[in-house]
């Protein structure tokens, strides 16, 4: 989930840092990896679905629990962004999260993981609710409408899911963290828990007013993660948002703020911390 993150005003993100996920990935990196061997688990499959809300076709990755084929159980679902980086080193930008390897190792809790591929040069558009004067974006509402109105109904019809809100989560990092948090505010009747890793709140400061005005169930669960030195504002932005959640009546027991001293804004860090967040979000 390579994303933009904010430095101090004297250290604005370089053009290279901002454009790599959208330009280099589309040319040199992806071309070089087209023949690389997949590292995805046999539990992972892919399909394409029309996203009319975004006027495009989306590639979706699905991880099914090891017990899925041999049982009639129903499973919680976790929707995740930037699927290219979740399961397979051959499609990742800078290393995969190894989510499938982690879930293959553990016995419980079991979940269906639905990974949504980012839109390459449209990634900022899809993962930001509001337009930024310098970086653009602002199509996040349509992206979430796609998940809620098209993708989730298809997943619930096709797989043995537990479709209710308390069993449905959303998870991402950087811009994916931002849109995951926004999804909880926008559709609290659909998403009951969120993994919010290194959220790019800075790019859409309007999110604080949205949180102030939102009505959230007391059952909403949030797992925030950041590296202390990711940027000058990352930790303070999260702390500000957590204060707002407390004011909205979300119990402190339903929020985790995990600040890792040496954590960096990259896939390796986020992947290494996924297990802790996954376990906590699935506690009942």
């Amino acid at each position: 989930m390579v994303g933009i993150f904010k430095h101090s005003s004297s250290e604005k993100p370089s053009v290279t840092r901002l454009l790599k996920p959208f330009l280099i990935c589309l040319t040199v990196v992806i071309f070089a990896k087209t023949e690389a061997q997949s590292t995805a688990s046999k539990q992972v499959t892919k399909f394409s679905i029309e996203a009319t809300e975004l006027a495009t076709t989306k590639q979706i990755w699905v991880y099914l629990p090891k017990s899925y084929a041999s049982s009639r159980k129903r499973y919680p679902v976790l929707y995740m962004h930037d699927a290219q980086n979740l399961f397979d080193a051959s499609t990742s930008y800078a290393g995969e999260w190894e989510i499938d390897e982690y879930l293959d190792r553990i016995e419980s809790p079991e979940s269906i993981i639905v990974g949504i591929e980012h839109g390459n040069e449209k990634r900022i558009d899809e993962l930001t609710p509001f337009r930024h004067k310098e970086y653009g974006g602002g199509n996040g509402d349509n992206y979430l409408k796609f998940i809620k109105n098209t993708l989730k109904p298809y997943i619930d019809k096709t797989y043995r899911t537990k479709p209710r809100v308390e069993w449905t989560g959303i998870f991402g990092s950087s811009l994916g963290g931002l849109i995951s948090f926004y999804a909880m505010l926008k559709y609290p009747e659909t998403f009951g828990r969120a993994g919010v890793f290194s959220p790019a709140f800075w790019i859409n400061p309007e999110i604080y007013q949205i949180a102030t005005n939102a009505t959230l169930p007391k059952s909403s669960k949030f797992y925030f993660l950041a590296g202390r030195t990711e940027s000058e504002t990352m930790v303070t932005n999260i702390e500000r948002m957590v204060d707002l959640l407390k004011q909205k009546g979300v119990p402190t027991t339903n929020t985790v703020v995990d600040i890792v001293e040496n954590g960096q804004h990259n896939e390796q860090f986020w992947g290494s911390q996924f297990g802790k967040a996954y376990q906590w979000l699935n506690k009942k």
Side-chain angles (χ1 to χ4, degrees):
M1 298 184 186
V2 178
I4 323 172
F5 65 101
K6 194 175 186 182
H7 296 264
S8 65
S9 58
S10 61
E11 294 181 294
K12 293 179 68 176
S14 68
V15 172
T16 300
R17 173 69 179 176
L18 295 177
L19 294 184
K20 269 188 176 181
F22 319 119
L23 300 182
I24 297 181
C25 271
L26 291 175
T27 53
V28 179
V29 175
I30 288 179
F31 177 78
K33 291 185 176 181
T34 52
E35 297 184 4
Q37 184 174 0
S38 171
T39 61
S41 161
K42 66 180 182 179
Q43 300 303 124
V44 177
T45 58
K46 292 188 281 187
F47 68 87
S48 296
I49 187 170
E50 289 299 313
T52 56
E53 299 87 348
L54 299 168
T56 190
T57 300
K58 277 291 184 187
Q59 181 93 332
I60 308 298
W61 301 54
V62 178
Y63 174 92
L64 293 178
K66 292 177 294 182
S67 68
Y68 189 89
S70 60
S71 78
R72 300 306 302 167
K73 293 192 299 184
R74 291 187 172 272
Y75 300 86
V77 181
L78 184 60
Y79 292 88
M80 300 189 69
H81 319 289
D82 298 319
Q84 295 97 319
N85 298 330
L86 301 179
F87 308 107
D88 194 341
S90 70
T91 61
S92 67
Y93 166 67
E96 59 155 314
W97 284 40
E98 299 185 354
I99 287 176
D100 47 340
E101 287 87 348
Y102 170 75
L103 294 175
D104 281 351
R105 286 195 304 270
I106 66 172
E107 294 300 320
S108 66
E110 292 184 302
S111 299
I112 295 172
I113 309 296
V114 178
I116 306 157
E117 287 199 2
H118 64 68
N120 296 309
E121 73 281 359
K122 294 184 178 180
R123 181 173 181 269
I124 292 181
D125 290 337
E126 294 175 352
L127 301 184
T128 53
F130 308 99
R131 184 171 181 81
H132 187 276
K133 62 181 179 181
E134 185 174 354
Y135 301 117
N139 202 27
D141 279 320
N142 285 329
Y143 176 75
L144 291 182
K145 286 178 183 176
F146 158 68
I147 298 175
K148 177 181 180 291
N149 297 334
T150 298
L151 181 59
K152 186 179 186 301
Y154 177 85
I155 294 294
D156 290 337
K157 180 180 178 180
T158 305
Y159 302 97
R160 298 194 310 274
T161 70
K162 293 181 175 181
R164 289 172 49 176
V165 59
E166 63 265 33
W167 301 107
T168 305
I170 191 162
F171 201 124
S173 67
S174 194
L175 294 177
L178 167 67
I179 200 68
S180 295
F181 184 79
Y182 182 66
M184 293 285 287
L185 305 180
K186 182 82 174 178
Y187 298 117
E189 75 286 356
T190 300
F191 303 105
R193 49 205 169 101
V196 185
F197 278 15
S198 306
F201 290 150
W202 68 269
I203 197 171
N204 278 171
E206 301 93 336
I207 194 73
Y208 295 103
Q209 190 60 50
I210 298 296
T212 299
N213 296 336
T215 300
L216 283 170
K218 289 183 171 58
S219 58
S220 301
K221 297 182 69 173
F222 299 87
Y223 193 108
F224 293 92
L225 171 83
R228 188 170 297 281
T229 59
E230 282 192 62
S231 75
E232 292 182 359
T233 60
M234 178 67 74
V235 174
T236 55
N237 283 348
I238 289 175
E239 291 172 341
R240 177 183 174 189
M241 192 62 79
V242 170
D243 285 342
L244 283 176
L245 293 178
K246 291 178 183 177
Q247 294 172 28
K248 302 303 293 182
V250 177
T252 55
T253 53
N254 278 20
T255 303
V256 167
V257 179
D258 188 5
I259 306 301
V260 179
E261 291 300 322
N262 297 317
Q264 299 181 17
H265 200 88
N266 59 38
E267 314 300 331
Q268 182 179 7
F269 172 50
W270 299 321
S272 71
Q273 303 299 308
F274 172 77
K276 288 192 298 180
Y278 174 80
Q279 292 289 337
W280 184 84
L281 287 169
N282 281 282
K283 283 183 180 178
K284 291 296 179 183

PDB file of all heavy atoms in Angstrom, residues 6-17:
ATOM      1  N   LYS A   6       2.881  12.857   4.849  1.00  0.00           N
ATOM      2  CA  LYS A   6       3.260  14.256   4.921  1.00  0.00           C
ATOM      3  C   LYS A   6       4.455  14.480   5.822  1.00  0.00           C
ATOM      4  O   LYS A   6       4.526  13.994   6.935  1.00  0.00           O
ATOM      5  CB  LYS A   6       2.087  15.096   5.432  1.00  0.00           C
ATOM      6  CG  LYS A   6       2.306  16.583   5.206  1.00  0.00           C
ATOM      7  CD  LYS A   6       1.076  17.374   5.600  1.00  0.00           C
ATOM      8  CE  LYS A   6       1.223  18.835   5.240  1.00  0.00           C
ATOM      9  NZ  LYS A   6       0.059  19.626   5.651  1.00  0.00           N
ATOM     10  N   HIS A   7       5.395  15.258   5.346  1.00  0.00           N
ATOM     11  CA  HIS A   7       6.524  15.734   6.124  1.00  0.00           C
ATOM     12  C   HIS A   7       6.226  17.155   6.576  1.00  0.00           C
ATOM     13  O   HIS A   7       5.150  17.685   6.350  1.00  0.00           O
ATOM     14  CB  HIS A   7       7.796  15.730   5.264  1.00  0.00           C
ATOM     15  CG  HIS A   7       8.205  14.363   4.827  1.00  0.00           C
ATOM     16  ND1 HIS A   7       9.139  13.620   5.488  1.00  0.00           N
ATOM     17  CD2 HIS A   7       7.790  13.604   3.786  1.00  0.00           C
ATOM     18  CE1 HIS A   7       9.306  12.464   4.867  1.00  0.00           C
ATOM     19  NE2 HIS A   7       8.490  12.435   3.840  1.00  0.00           N
ATOM     20  N   SER A   8       7.207  17.759   7.196  1.00  0.00           N
ATOM     21  CA  SER A   8       7.061  19.168   7.525  1.00  0.00           C
ATOM     22  C   SER A   8       7.022  19.979   6.242  1.00  0.00           C
ATOM     23  O   SER A   8       7.358  19.496   5.170  1.00  0.00           O
ATOM     24  CB  SER A   8       8.232  19.620   8.398  1.00  0.00           C
ATOM     25  OG  SER A   8       9.438  19.540   7.666  1.00  0.00           O
ATOM     26  N   SER A   9       6.615  21.244   6.345  1.00  0.00           N
ATOM     27  CA  SER A   9       6.453  22.068   5.137  1.00  0.00           C
ATOM     28  C   SER A   9       7.753  22.214   4.378  1.00  0.00           C
ATOM     29  O   SER A   9       7.756  22.438   3.179  1.00  0.00           O
ATOM     30  CB  SER A   9       5.921  23.446   5.544  1.00  0.00           C
ATOM     31  OG  SER A   9       6.798  24.064   6.471  1.00  0.00           O
ATOM     32  N   SER A  10       8.883  22.090   5.070  1.00  0.00           N
ATOM     33  CA  SER A  10      10.172  22.198   4.387  1.00  0.00           C
ATOM     34  C   SER A  10      10.619  20.880   3.786  1.00  0.00           C
ATOM     35  O   SER A  10      11.642  20.798   3.143  1.00  0.00           O
ATOM     36  CB  SER A  10      11.241  22.691   5.372  1.00  0.00           C
ATOM     37  OG  SER A  10      11.392  21.769   6.434  1.00  0.00           O
ATOM     38  N   GLU A  11       9.837  19.818   4.032  1.00  0.00           N
ATOM     39  CA  GLU A  11      10.191  18.504   3.514  1.00  0.00           C
ATOM     40  C   GLU A  11       8.994  17.893   2.798  1.00  0.00           C
ATOM     41  O   GLU A  11       8.537  16.819   3.131  1.00  0.00           O
ATOM     42  CB  GLU A  11      10.609  17.565   4.643  1.00  0.00           C
ATOM     43  CG  GLU A  11      11.880  17.946   5.353  1.00  0.00           C
ATOM     44  CD  GLU A  11      12.189  16.927   6.419  1.00  0.00           C
ATOM     45  OE1 GLU A  11      11.433  16.824   7.384  1.00  0.00           O
ATOM     46  OE2 GLU A  11      13.185  16.213   6.263  1.00  0.00           O
ATOM     47  N   LYS A  12       8.457  18.601   1.828  1.00  0.00           N
ATOM     48  CA  LYS A  12       7.308  18.088   1.112  1.00  0.00           C
ATOM     49  C   LYS A  12       7.696  16.803   0.388  1.00  0.00           C
ATOM     50  O   LYS A  12       8.829  16.643  -0.050  1.00  0.00           O
ATOM     51  CB  LYS A  12       6.801  19.118   0.112  1.00  0.00           C
ATOM     52  CG  LYS A  12       6.211  20.349   0.778  1.00  0.00           C
ATOM     53  CD  LYS A  12       5.752  21.343  -0.241  1.00  0.00           C
ATOM     54  CE  LYS A  12       4.557  20.810  -0.995  1.00  0.00           C
ATOM     55  NZ  LYS A  12       4.007  21.788  -1.934  1.00  0.00           N
ATOM     56  N   PRO A  13       6.758  15.857   0.233  1.00  0.00           N
ATOM     57  CA  PRO A  13       7.073  14.627  -0.466  1.00  0.00           C
ATOM     58  C   PRO A  13       7.630  14.912  -1.853  1.00  0.00           C
ATOM     59  O   PRO A  13       7.095  15.732  -2.580  1.00  0.00           O
ATOM     60  CB  PRO A  13       5.710  13.914  -0.547  1.00  0.00           C
ATOM     61  CG  PRO A  13       4.922  14.496   0.576  1.00  0.00           C
ATOM     62  CD  PRO A  13       5.388  15.922   0.703  1.00  0.00           C
ATOM     63  N   SER A  14       8.693  14.220  -2.207  1.00  0.00           N
ATOM     64  CA  SER A  14       9.312  14.452  -3.503  1.00  0.00           C
ATOM     65  C   SER A  14       8.398  13.963  -4.620  1.00  0.00           C
ATOM     66  O   SER A  14       7.537  13.116  -4.423  1.00  0.00           O
ATOM     67  CB  SER A  14      10.648  13.714  -3.580  1.00  0.00           C
ATOM     68  OG  SER A  14      10.433  12.320  -3.603  1.00  0.00           O
ATOM     69  N   VAL A  15       8.609  14.507  -5.818  1.00  0.00           N
ATOM     70  CA  VAL A  15       7.830  14.080  -6.971  1.00  0.00           C
ATOM     71  C   VAL A  15       8.039  12.586  -7.201  1.00  0.00           C
ATOM     72  O   VAL A  15       7.109  11.847  -7.508  1.00  0.00           O
ATOM     73  CB  VAL A  15       8.247  14.884  -8.219  1.00  0.00           C
ATOM     74  CG1 VAL A  15       7.584  14.307  -9.452  1.00  0.00           C
ATOM     75  CG2 VAL A  15       7.884  16.349  -8.042  1.00  0.00           C
ATOM     76  N   THR A  16       9.277  12.114  -7.016  1.00  0.00           N
ATOM     77  CA  THR A  16       9.549  10.692  -7.209  1.00  0.00           C
ATOM     78  C   THR A  16       8.733   9.853  -6.256  1.00  0.00           C
ATOM     79  O   THR A  16       8.134   8.853  -6.634  1.00  0.00           O
ATOM     80  CB  THR A  16      11.050  10.408  -7.002  1.00  0.00           C
ATOM     81  OG1 THR A  16      11.799  11.162  -7.941  1.00  0.00           O
ATOM     82  CG2 THR A  16      11.343   8.931  -7.185  1.00  0.00           C
ATOM     83  N   ARG A  17       8.693  10.268  -4.983  1.00  0.00           N
ATOM     84  CA  ARG A  17       7.943   9.513  -3.986  1.00  0.00           C
ATOM     85  C   ARG A  17       6.456   9.457  -4.340  1.00  0.00           C
ATOM     86  O   ARG A  17       5.809   8.426  -4.189  1.00  0.00           O
ATOM     87  CB  ARG A  17       8.129  10.170  -2.609  1.00  0.00           C
ATOM     88  CG  ARG A  17       7.262   9.576  -1.496  1.00  0.00           C
ATOM     89  CD  ARG A  17       7.690   8.183  -1.136  1.00  0.00           C
ATOM     90  NE  ARG A  17       6.874   7.651  -0.061  1.00  0.00           N
ATOM     91  CZ  ARG A  17       6.965   6.430   0.409  1.00  0.00           C
ATOM     92  NH1 ARG A  17       7.840   5.615  -0.111  1.00  0.00           N
ATOM     93  NH2 ARG A  17       6.192   6.013   1.389  1.00  0.00           N
TER      94      ARG A  17
END
